[in-house]
Amino acid sequence: MTYPIVLSSIQVEPILAAKQKGLSSVEVSPDLGISRVNAVITSTGVSFASGEHLDWQQIEKIKQAQTNCFSVEDGTIKTISLFSEHTNRVCSLLPTRHAPSMLIAGFTMHRIVNTDPMQDTLKKVATIAPITGRVLDTATGLGYTAIEAAKTAEQVVTIELDPGAQYIARLNPWSRGLFDNPKITQVMGDAFEVVQTFEDESFTHILHDPPVLSLAGELYGGVFYSQLLRVLKRGGRLFHYIGDLNSKSSGTVARGVVRRLQEAGFTRIVRRPEAFGVVAYK
Ligand SMILES: C[S@@+](CC[C@H](N)C(=O)[O-])C[C@H]1O[C@@H](n2cnc3c(N)ncnc32)[C@H](O)[C@@H]1O
């Protein structure tokens, strides 16, 4: 399987540095930092072994766009971003010095301040480790929690509302496991409705990583929590991402979440500030 080259301003830094030093080749990552290849520097631009050639104007455009990633195909560069007709929200891939995040309507879908989306993912998943059995991931996003859970789980069912978000994930080199790991089943739809269709006690673990409350209020409500409890096996655990529990706004949201989880019937709820969320037990 060959994938298109995906670059951000971070990957073109060494290309421009090599040009300035007058070098004839440079090591560059064609997939946002996952792997490295050698590319040839010419007077007109940079050539990859795959046959792609980018001119200096294109490289400069990528360098200037600090908040976008670009796919390279047939000599053209395309911003990884789109307006989702389904949700009327703009989705885009946001570069970081590690795995990228996704922006939806201007909100980042992972923590990126003093951390990176992969550390964020590992912290979330660690709160309910060891992850075994059948796992429900309520909000796919870039698929990082699903991919991480699938390393030890038997099966992961992951739900995404927005085809726009799925489009972005498809172009993200760090999301490939979402599309090629047979343990992961993707369901397109509203988690609020999709979860109602699952059988009682059919999941051992639930990862609930919704967008901010203002984008997905129903996913923070008692009706939804009752459904999560219903589909969770006895002894099962739910991780619910909320936000920085020590901040005023997320602290307030967290108090409401804990109360509604208790009202829904979860037996014990434990604050996990390091993962910006809580774990609820059935
Ligand atoms: C914070 S991100 C999830 C990040 C994900 N855990 C990851 O590892 O990349 C939230 C995702 O939920 C999706 N979403 C929003 N409302 C939803 C809903 N009602 N049902 C399912 N997914 C929803 C958004 O489109 C977004 O992709």
Side-chain angles (χ1 to χ4, degrees):
M1 178 102 190
T2 54
Y3 296 102
I5 293 169
V6 179
L7 301 171
S8 75
S9 63
I10 293 155
Q11 284 73 49
V12 301
E13 276 169 15
I15 300 176
L16 288 166
K19 179 194 180 202
Q20 209 163 28
K21 286 186 198 148
L23 301 178
S24 58
S25 75
V26 62
E27 198 176 74
V28 47
S29 175
D31 46 20
L32 299 181
I34 297 174
S35 68
R36 308 209 172 270
V37 296
N38 270 316
V40 176
I41 295 191
T42 69
S43 57
T44 57
V46 64
S47 294
F48 291 83
S50 60
E52 291 289 358
H53 180 83
L54 292 182
D55 63 33
W56 292 118
Q57 213 182 343
Q58 289 169 313
I59 299 281
E60 205 43 61
K61 183 173 173 194
I62 297 172
K63 177 72 190 106
Q64 297 308 321
Q66 303 282 321
T67 55
N68 280 116
C69 298
F70 295 82
S71 64
V72 180
E73 258 175 292
D74 302 328
T76 60
I77 58 170
K78 209 169 149 216
T79 312
I80 301 182
S81 163
L82 103 161
F83 175 76
S84 170
E85 307 266 334
H86 190 83
T87 53
N88 284 339
R89 293 170 183 159
V90 176
C91 308
S92 65
L93 196 60
L94 176 75
T96 79
R97 295 223 159 248
H98 197 60
S101 182
M102 178 161 54
L103 278 176
I104 298 184
F107 292 95
T108 55
M109 292 293 118
H110 308 87
R111 290 172 59 195
I112 54 168
V113 179
N114 299 327
T115 183
D116 64 67
M118 216 34 85
Q119 288 306 317
D120 175 41
T121 300
L122 295 176
K123 285 217 162 84
K124 289 167 183 164
V125 174
T127 62
I128 54 168
I131 292 196
T132 51
R134 188 162 181 255
V135 178
L136 170 61
D137 178 53
T138 59
T140 311
L142 291 179
Y144 297 163
T145 44
I147 293 166
E148 189 56 34
K151 288 182 182 167
T152 52
E154 270 165 41
Q155 196 202 357
V156 179
V157 177
T158 182
I159 309 168
E160 174 57 59
L161 171 74
D162 190 352
Q166 193 191 45
Y167 167 85
I168 301 294
R170 210 175 262 288
L171 289 170
N172 176 19
W174 291 80
S175 299
R176 285 175 194 157
L178 189 57
F179 302 94
D180 60 23
N181 185 338
K183 283 201 216 170
I184 301 179
T185 304
Q186 293 188 66
V187 180
M188 290 308 294
D190 184 341
F192 186 83
E193 288 161 14
V194 174
V195 170
Q196 293 175 29
T197 68
F198 295 142
E199 285 182 18
D200 293 358
E201 310 225 340
S202 49
F203 296 96
T204 52
H205 296 76
I206 301 177
L207 285 157
H208 183 38
D209 184 15
V212 287
L213 182 70
S214 58
L215 291 187
E218 280 187 328
L219 301 189
Y220 291 75
V223 175
F224 186 61
Y225 295 164
S226 300
Q227 286 298 315
L228 293 181
L229 183 78
R230 182 185 65 76
V231 301
L232 189 61
K233 277 193 199 310
R234 201 165 294 277
R237 276 163 289 168
L238 155 81
F239 170 73
H240 188 328
Y241 179 87
I242 297 167
D244 185 357
L245 300 185
N246 296 318
S247 81
K248 201 170 166 217
S249 58
S250 294
T252 307
V253 175
R255 278 191 292 282
V257 166
V258 169
R259 182 175 45 75
R260 290 189 295 280
L261 286 170
Q262 277 164 342
E263 284 168 2
F266 283 93
T267 52
R268 192 159 66 96
I269 293 134
V270 179
R271 286 163 57 91
R272 297 301 296 259
E274 80 287 4
F276 279 30
V278 297
V279 172
Y281 294 80
K282 176 166 175 178

